[in-house]
Amino acid sequence: MKSSVAVLPPFLVLDQLLQGWLLEDIGRGDRTTQSLLSENPTDKEAKWIGKAPGIIAGLPVAARVFQLLNHQVNFVNITAEGAKCEPGQVIAEIDGPLDALLMGERVALNLTMRLSGIASLTNVYVEKIADLPAQLVDTRKTTPGLRILEKYATALGGAINHRMGLDDAVMIKDNHIVASGGIGKAITRVRSHIPYPLTIEVETETLEQVQEALEYKADIIMLDNMPLKIMSQAVSLIRQEDSRVKVEASGNVTLETIRAVAETGVDYISTSAPITQSRWLDLSMRMV
């Protein structure tokens, strides 16, 4: 697998999200747990068990969920973050106040199952092109409120993060081109407004658009929904005219097509599939 770095943001960033999701679930109080345990507070142990094969993602987030409810909860990874698991495998062991374990269970499991499903499918895509130079890249097609974690999961699965938001980099898409009156005009105007470090990427659909993007010195050229033959020609054109320009392929990328796309010589292949088409990895919590 090509190298990829998955970095969680600090909890200063995540805690507000986690607290909001806990409040959504707990509301004005866990009627069941608080009624049963009000007269008999106790500590308990639990295990997380894998119920399907895949890659585990989100354990540090799950641990934080429980600790926000009670700092005495101890969450120990038995399966490492980013490692593969099999059905029946123990993923984590947890001990602490029982009410915190029960109130945090659903939010913690939901997040881990969602992120693990993304990491697992991402890794399947990555393995399809593991012996080729092209690298898999995610997109901004993410669940509102979960982007920062879903992109963490794709990186854990072996992909590279594309821009996190509209402020990370410039991407001039088809509607921008139409609104501006052409690629050249769009690049010229954007370049006069953006801060120095930002890169400019342009979405192209034809060889003529590729040529115009090259003429106006785009940093990255996206080949969007191009037939493989035209894509190969576009890559050759870009390599001949400006070797510094990075080439990205996008549009209708599937497990069946990704290898052929990589073989055209592009640097990056972007797809939303690992996020939009992944299934949750089934996990369960069992009291000891």
Side-chain angles (χ1 to χ4, degrees):
M1 184 191 303
K2 303 178 185 74
S3 61
S4 177
V5 178
V7 179
L8 269 176
F11 287 119
L12 176 67
V13 175
L14 289 179
D15 277 357
Q16 186 173 0
L17 292 172
L18 300 180
Q19 288 166 350
W21 294 328
L22 283 168
L23 286 171
E24 176 188 53
D25 199 35
I26 296 171
R28 289 173 294 175
D30 181 349
R31 305 298 191 190
T32 309
T33 299
Q34 291 175 305
S35 296
L36 290 173
L37 302 180
S38 59
E39 298 179 359
N40 187 29
T42 183
D43 284 4
K44 273 286 188 178
E45 297 179 9
K47 291 184 179 182
W48 276 16
I49 309 296
K51 300 173 71 176
I55 290 178
I56 296 299
L59 295 180
V61 182
R64 185 63 173 181
V65 168
F66 289 111
Q67 287 158 6
L68 286 173
L69 290 168
N70 193 313
H71 70 277
Q72 294 180 6
V73 173
N74 185 36
F75 189 103
V76 178
N77 295 5
I78 303 302
T79 299
E81 179 82 341
K84 293 183 178 180
C85 77
E86 298 295 335
Q89 184 169 326
V90 177
I91 306 303
E93 294 180 347
I94 316 166
D95 65 82
L98 179 55
D99 59 345
L101 301 189
L102 294 174
M103 283 192 285
E105 174 185 1
R106 188 74 275 144
V107 172
L109 277 174
N110 283 357
L111 287 171
T112 307
M113 289 192 292
R114 171 64 176 153
L115 300 184
S116 296
I118 291 172
S120 299
L121 185 55
T122 300
N123 189 246
V124 175
Y125 273 83
V126 168
E127 289 298 325
K128 289 282 186 180
I129 57 173
D131 60 329
L132 297 171
Q135 294 181 290
L136 186 71
V137 179
D138 58 23
T139 75
R140 283 171 47 244
K141 289 183 181 178
T142 57
T143 309
L146 275 175
R147 176 175 297 172
I148 200 167
L149 292 177
E150 289 179 340
K151 280 180 167 280
Y152 163 75
T154 62
L156 204 60
I160 293 176
N161 292 148
H162 208 292
R163 58 181 181 163
M164 294 295 294
L166 296 173
D167 57 346
D168 281 1
V170 170
M171 179 183 284
I172 301 173
K173 298 175 70 66
D174 53 355
N175 288 330
H176 298 121
I177 294 168
V178 171
S180 303
I183 287 175
K185 290 181 179 179
I187 292 177
T188 300
R189 182 164 180 80
V190 163
R191 185 168 280 129
S192 68
H193 284 77
I194 61 173
Y196 158 69
L198 293 188
T199 55
I200 297 176
E201 179 170 1
V202 179
E203 181 181 283
T204 63
E205 298 177 346
T206 66
L207 291 176
E208 290 74 21
Q209 287 185 325
V210 170
Q211 186 64 62
E212 188 175 2
L214 284 167
E215 180 182 348
Y216 283 87
K217 305 298 182 183
D219 301 296
I220 306 166
I221 297 178
M222 176 192 287
L223 312 178
D224 188 44
N225 284 299
M226 283 189 181
L228 290 175
K229 183 177 179 180
I230 302 300
M231 187 180 293
S232 295
Q233 294 174 3
V235 172
S236 296
L237 174 63
I238 294 167
R239 301 292 188 228
Q240 290 170 8
E241 295 210 11
D242 194 338
S243 60
R244 73 174 183 85
V245 175
K246 297 297 183 182
V247 187
E248 177 183 334
S250 188
N252 296 315
V253 176
T254 68
L255 287 173
E256 290 70 34
T257 64
I258 188 171
R259 186 166 183 86
V261 172
E263 288 171 344
T264 64
V266 297
D267 299 296
Y268 304 106
I269 301 173
S270 59
T271 175
S272 64
I275 292 177
T276 61
Q277 298 180 24
S278 62
R279 299 181 62 181
W280 290 26
L281 185 69
D282 200 6
L283 308 173
S284 65
M285 187 170 94
R286 294 286 180 265
M287 290 295 171
V288 177

